[in-house]
């Protein structure tokens, strides 16, 4: 999958209503704590995130909900994909394995249903469903594609004079 194809797919993610975003914002710390507790309870955590990366994981969870809060307020599919590529490149460089996301993303979805009303959870869930469906593509692209912050990606420069 190319970056352009991934951005096109991301452009179809429905954004939650303002009421759902407000509820997400009010419960974001609780959701991050839920996911962190569940991850820390795993015997295989060092294998998933690399030795000594527990603080980085906790920071990632706190930053994740703050980032998504911003995404919900001003969604830009191109920047969304670029941020995901940056996350994948950065965290894998620090020792996080792809399996971390396959474990964490379902935990985020579970946190939505435990911390948000059913109405808000169903509004926010499409973002997480998209992440589960496409994070493998993100990881593949991140192996070979720089982010816009690292240098202009070739596929984004194609066709420019």
């Amino acid at each position: 999958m190319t970056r352009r194809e991934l951005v096109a797919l991301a452009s179809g993610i429905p954004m939650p209503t303002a009421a759902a975003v407000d509820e997400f914002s009010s419960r974001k710390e609780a959701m991050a704590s839920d996911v962190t507790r569940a991850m820390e309870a795993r015997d295989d955590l060092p294998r998933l995130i690399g030795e000594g990366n527990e603080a980085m994981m906790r920071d990632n969870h706190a930053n994740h909900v703050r980032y998504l809060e911003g995404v919900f307020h001003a969604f830009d599919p191109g920047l969304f994909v670029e941020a995901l590529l940056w996350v994948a490149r950065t965290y894998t460089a620090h020792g996080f394995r792809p399996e971390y996301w396959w474990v964490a993303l379902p935990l985020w979805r579970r946190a939505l249903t435990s911390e948000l009303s059913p109405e808000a959870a169903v509004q926010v869930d499409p973002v997480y469903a998209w992440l589960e469906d496409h994070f493998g593509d993100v990881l593949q692209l991140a192996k070979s594609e720089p982010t816009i912050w690292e240098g202009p990606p070739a596929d984004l420069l194609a066709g420019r004079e």
Side-chain angles (χ1 to χ4, degrees):
M1 177 164 308
T2 69
R3 174 189 263 106
R4 287 182 188 275
E5 290 169 332
L6 200 54
V7 170
L9 290 170
S11 68
I13 302 171
M15 287 295 108
T17 63
V21 173
D22 288 346
E23 189 173 330
F24 179 91
S25 296
S26 72
R27 301 300 302 153
K28 66 184 182 232
E29 288 89 3
M31 288 184 287
S33 292
D34 289 354
V35 173
T36 297
R37 274 193 304 278
M39 291 298 291
E40 288 176 339
R42 294 183 62 92
D43 292 335
D44 63 346
L45 183 63
R47 184 184 69 76
L48 294 173
I49 66 171
E51 289 291 332
N53 282 336
E54 291 83 2
M56 186 177 197
M57 179 194 71
R58 285 189 292 276
D59 287 345
N60 177 50
H61 295 166
N63 290 334
H64 169 84
V65 287
R66 286 193 297 266
Y67 171 71
L68 280 183
E69 183 179 31
V71 164
F72 297 149
H73 285 290
F75 183 57
D76 179 299
L79 290 176
F80 179 68
V81 168
E82 288 304 313
L84 293 175
L85 291 172
W86 179 87
V87 163
R89 287 172 67 86
T90 300
Y91 283 86
T92 56
H94 283 279
F96 282 63
R97 298 174 53 104
E99 295 85 5
Y100 162 77
W101 287 281
W102 308 141
V103 171
L105 286 169
L107 292 174
W108 282 107
R109 291 179 90 178
R110 188 173 79 193
L112 292 178
T113 60
S114 67
E115 296 293 340
L116 300 180
S117 67
E119 298 80 17
V122 77
Q123 290 282 318
V124 174
D125 187 65
V127 173
Y128 286 94
W130 189 94
L131 288 169
E132 276 192 309
D133 290 345
H134 297 290
F135 212 82
D137 299 320
V138 169
L139 289 165
Q140 277 304 116
L141 278 173
K143 289 179 184 177
S144 61
E145 292 281 332
T147 66
I148 58 173
W149 302 288
E150 297 168 300
D155 69 329
L156 295 181
L157 294 177
R160 292 188 180 176
E161 303 291 326

